[in-house]
């Protein structure tokens, strides 16, 4: 099976998924395609209002910020694959619960093995915690890990992990934007 076929099967499963309570209130789960040959995979938290309407990743305010960050390291969005920890929007933009994250986890695990990126960029504390646990890294807060690079081995070779604060934090804090711009240089150095 090639990547496209494997991703299409996965997307169909996500569209029909009822493995956690979020299916009840979602409009569209996140099944944005991204570039199947991407070297860089970005992992957000959960769809927001605009993403829920369209099934596309990072198209609202946080998406505008993400585009600026990608632009700052000359990385085209269409050269990346973007997904999130949970694929359905939590009501009231609540944080995803441990139960929801666990229910949704197999989809992200499969996305990572199908795309087999060289660089993983967890955005925000939930994605950071997920990826650190998956690759057996010692737990670190996002406030310690942001902008650093961690190297791990996976079944398909060495992966660089470059955790970042979630772009939405820059929406209400200009200082955070400078930090994110500085931290994204670490992603740039790994591509
Ligand atoms: N926040 C996320 O984590 N992902 C999105 O797609 C939008 C906002
Ligand atoms: Fe399924 Fe994930 Fe949506 Fe829960 S968040 S219903 S596990 S796709």
């Amino acid at each position: 099976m090639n990547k496209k076929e494997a991703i299409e099967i996965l997307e169909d499963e996500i569209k029909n998924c009822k493995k956690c309570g979020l299916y009840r209130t979602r409009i569209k789960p996140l099944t944005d395609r991204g570039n199947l040959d991407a070297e860089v995979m970005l992992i957000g938290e959960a769809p927001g209002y605009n993403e829920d309407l369209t099934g596309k990743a990072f198209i609202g305010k946080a998406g505008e910020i993400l585009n600026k960050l990608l632009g700052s390291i000359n990385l085209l969005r269409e050269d990346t694959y973007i997904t999130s920890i949970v694929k359905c929007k939590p009501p009231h933009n609540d944080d995803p619960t441990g139960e929801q994250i666990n229910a949704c986890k197999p989809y992200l695990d499969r996305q990572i093995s199908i795309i087999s990126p060289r660089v993983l960029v967890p955005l925000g504390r939930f994605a950071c915690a997920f990826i650190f646990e998956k690759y057996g890294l010692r737990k670190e807060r996002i406030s310690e890990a942001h902008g650093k690079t961690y190297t791990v081995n996976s079944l398909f070779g060495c992966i660089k992990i470059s955790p970042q604060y979630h772009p939405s934090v820059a929406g209400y804090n200009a200082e955070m934007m400078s930090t994110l711009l500085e931290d994204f240089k670490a992603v740039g150095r790994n591509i």
Side-chain angles (χ1 to χ4, degrees):
M1 198 190 314
N2 64 30
K3 279 186 177 187
K4 188 163 173 280
E5 289 163 344
I7 283 288
E8 279 171 1
I9 291 172
L10 182 62
E11 287 170 353
D12 268 350
E13 285 179 41
I14 294 172
K15 281 180 193 154
N16 295 307
C17 182
K18 296 182 175 176
K19 286 200 299 167
C20 83
L22 293 183
Y23 88 87
R24 290 197 191 91
T25 45
R26 74 171 176 227
I27 299 173
K28 284 195 178 173
L30 192 85
T31 52
D32 200 2
R33 184 63 59 86
N35 187 328
L36 302 186
D37 295 316
E39 297 211 323
V40 180
M41 179 161 168
L42 301 138
I43 305 169
E45 190 172 306
Y49 178 79
N50 295 290
E51 292 80 14
D52 186 40
L53 292 179
T54 57
K56 293 186 190 303
F58 280 101
I59 53 164
K61 180 102 177 96
E64 272 172 42
I65 295 165
L66 183 62
N67 289 343
K68 277 190 197 148
L69 295 167
L70 294 175
S72 75
I73 54 167
N74 294 318
L75 180 57
L76 296 174
R77 193 159 155 150
E78 51 269 37
D79 288 338
T80 67
Y81 187 93
I82 311 184
T83 187
S84 60
I85 291 289
V86 292
K87 314 302 188 205
C88 302
K89 178 184 177 293
H92 321 295
N93 294 324
D94 293 338
D95 286 345
T97 65
E99 204 179 313
Q100 291 158 357
I101 292 172
N102 275 335
C104 217
K105 176 181 188 307
Y107 299 129
L108 182 52
D109 285 333
R110 278 163 66 193
Q111 283 170 314
I112 295 174
S113 42
I114 296 166
I115 306 298
S116 45
R118 276 201 318 108
V119 183
L120 276 176
V121 185
L123 302 165
R125 64 192 165 103
F126 289 100
C128 184
F130 181 100
I131 291 299
F132 272 43
E133 192 185 329
K134 178 176 171 71
Y135 292 103
L137 292 168
R138 191 175 56 83
K139 239 186 210 174
E140 272 189 60
R141 286 173 186 276
I142 189 75
S143 52
E144 294 171 280
H146 71 101
K148 293 186 188 162
T149 297
Y150 302 78
T151 306
V152 295
N153 286 313
S154 75
L155 291 176
F156 49 86
C158 150
I159 305 185
K160 303 279 184 192
I161 297 172
S162 190
Q164 305 292 327
Y165 282 119
H166 195 282
S168 64
V169 298
Y172 44 86
N173 186 334
E175 216 174 285
M176 268 297 182
M177 190 65 195
S178 326
T179 305
L180 270 162
L181 283 166
E182 190 56 38
D183 290 348
F184 253 73
K185 291 180 186 165
V187 182
R189 282 192 293 274
N190 288 318
I191 52 180

